Each structure stands twice: as C-alpha cells, then as structure tokens.
C-alpha cells in the first residue's frame, strides 16, 4: 500500500501553502489600497489563517482518501501528569536552546519587519497562540510526519519533518528554534501517535514568546536579553540541561508504559 505523503509530495503541499499565502496577502493588500483600510494586524491574521485552514482541509482530505483513515481524534485515559511533564520539558527546552538561537544576530531589517507583523492585540494573539499551534501541527505532524512514519524510519521521518517545519518559517533565525522544537514534537508524536500533546508543546512555546513580547519593557527578543547576569544565565542553562536529560528519560519510560499500543490516533 502506498502512503501519503512522501518527501517529494510534501513539497507540493508546502508549495500550495506558500502560493495560497501569497495570493491572500496580495488580495488583501489590494482591498486595503483600493476599497477600505484593513488593520495591519487583522490583515496579517487573515493572510496567515485563511491559507492555513484551506491547506489543512485540502490535504487532510487527500491523506484520508489515500491512507484510508478518518482523522477522528481519539483520546484515551492518559494521565494528566504526562501533559504536565510535557509542558515542563517544553519550558526547559525553550531556555536551553536560547543560546543557540541567538548565535546568529537578527538583522535590523528583519527585526523591523517582524515588529510590524506582530502587535500587542487580539489578532496577533489569535495568530501566534491559537491558530499556529493547531493548524501547523495538523499539517506538519498530523499529515506530514504521520505519513513519513508509514514510509521511512522514525529517525528519518522526525528529522525530515522538522527540517521542513524549520524551512517554512522562511528565515534562519526562527528556523533554528523551529527545527529543535520540531524534533521534540516529532518524538512525542511518534511515541504517542496523538496530535494533542504536539499542539500543547507548540502552544507552550508560542505563548511564552508572545508573553515576552507583550510584557518586556525593553527590546528583548530572547531569554538572554532578560537575564543581565551572565553567570546566572549560564548556570541556568547547564542545570536545566541536566534536568531536561533526566526528564526525557523519565517521560520515555512513561510513554513506554502508557502507549504500548498506539491507541491514540488522528
């Protein structure tokens, strides 16, 4: 049986998403210039959400048709402690990878562009905190990674889907964080076969980023910008790295007990 998608088919999916995004962005800009003014934040929300929803719907249907499954989210009696562990590990990982994400300084032009795209309002909140975790996980884990796991080895599937997740962000500064977080999300999806914890990880990552943006009084864009004392910062990274390592080992044992059979599917 042939499963969807393969790596080659994925590029068509992502190409469709990019094309839809460009089409909606151009159309909304045209409406803004010729008919009536559209709030910039609302325009960014519509330019992101509409193409993403259309792409998700189109390719979920295609995957259901080709892979003969139904996409009904099934949730068994998973302990809430597992979800708590996932959130804690996600917060740890965000702090741990912070030194890696700041290795490449963000150029002024990109920083200015990002500041225009993100505002301290409800539309940016909906885009970053609500829509992105749900629909990006449906695309990258629910469609892409799930299909890869039926064709390729788990390691290749997780790495390739994470690379694509990084590439779709279209800039190396966000891509580093997206790739590393994507590896964690991919591993969790492989172990649980559930989209729910993946959305939870993505939500946690995005809500922390949005809160830093919302409540930072300076131009802080990373955790290192918020901690002035470098010795405290380095000690925090080292200690959390050790805790993260043992936390992953413990979570893996929990997964092996709970998910001995893949009873949670999308």
């Amino acid at each position: 049986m042939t499963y969807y998608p393969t790596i080659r088919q994925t590029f068509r999916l992502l190409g469709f998403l990019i094309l839809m995004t460009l089409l909606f962005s151009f159309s909304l800009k045209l409406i803004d210039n010729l008919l009536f003014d559209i709030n910039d934040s609302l325009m960014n929300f519509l330019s992101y959400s509409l193409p993403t929803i259309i792409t998700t719907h189109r390719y979920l249907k295609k995957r259901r048709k080709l892979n003969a499954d139904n996409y009904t989210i099934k949730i068994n009696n998973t302990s809430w402690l597992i979800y708590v562990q996932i959130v804690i590990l996600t917060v740890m990982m965000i702090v741990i990878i912070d030194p890696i994400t700041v290795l490449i300084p963000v150029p002024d032009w990109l920083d200015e562009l990002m500041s225009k795209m993100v505002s301290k309002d409800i539309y940016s909140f909906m885009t970053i905190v609500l829509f992105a975790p749900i629909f990006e996980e449906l695309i990258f884990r629910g469609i892409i990674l799930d299909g890869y796991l039926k064709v390729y080895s788990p390691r290749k599937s997780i790495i390739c889907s994470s690379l694509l997740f990084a590439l779709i962000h279209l800039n190396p500064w966000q891509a580093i964080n997206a790739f590393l977080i994507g590896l964690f999300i991919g591993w969790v999806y492989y172990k649980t076969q559930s989209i729910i914890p993946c959305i939870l990880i993505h939500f946690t990552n995005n809500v922390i980023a949005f809160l830093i943006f919302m409540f930072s009084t300076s131009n802080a864009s990373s955790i290192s910008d918020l901690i002035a004392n470098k010795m405290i910062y380095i000690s925090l990274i080292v200690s959390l790295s050790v805790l993260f390592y043992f936390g992953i080992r413990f979570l893996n044992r929990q997964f092996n007990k709970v998910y001995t059979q893949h009873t949670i599917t999308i």
Side-chain angles (χ1 to χ4, degrees), residues 75-83 192 194 255 258-259 263-264:
I75 304 176
N76 64 6
N77 295 322
T78 302
S79 169
W80 62 271
L81 286 173
I82 286 183
Y83 291 101
T192 65
S194 173
F255 282 160
V258 176
Y259 301 106
T263 55
I264 299 181

Side-chain angles (χ1 to χ4, degrees), residues 47-117:
S47 298
Y48 171 84
S49 60
L50 294 176
T52 307
I53 292 171
I54 291 170
T55 302
T56 303
H57 177 71
R58 172 188 172 91
Y59 285 95
L60 281 176
K61 284 182 65 177
K62 185 169 185 177
R63 177 182 170 279
R64 178 171 56 189
K65 180 180 178 181
L66 295 177
N67 291 0
D69 51 20
N70 60 15
Y71 300 104
T72 300
I73 298 176
K74 301 176 182 178
I75 304 176
N76 64 6
N77 295 322
T78 302
S79 169
W80 62 271
L81 286 173
I82 286 183
Y83 291 101
V84 172
Q85 290 173 59
I86 287 172
V87 171
I88 293 172
L89 287 171
T90 302
V91 175
M92 286 183 181
M93 188 173 187
I94 291 168
V95 178
I96 292 167
I97 67 178
D98 185 72
I100 302 173
T101 59
V102 299
L103 284 176
I104 309 175
V106 180
D108 293 337
W109 65 267
L110 181 61
D111 192 44
E112 184 179 348
L113 177 63
M114 295 299 293
S115 64
K116 290 180 180 179
M117 294 177 64

Side-chain angles (χ1 to χ4, degrees), residues 79 122 131 185 204 224:
S79 169
I122 187 62
F131 272 73
I185 299 175
T204 303
S224 62

Side-chain angles (χ1 to χ4, degrees), residues 86 184-193 197-198 201 251 255:
I86 287 172
F184 179 48
I185 299 175
W187 174 72
V188 169
Y189 183 81
Y190 167 64
K191 300 297 288 189
T192 65
Q193 294 294 296
C198 302
I201 295 168
L251 182 61
F255 282 160

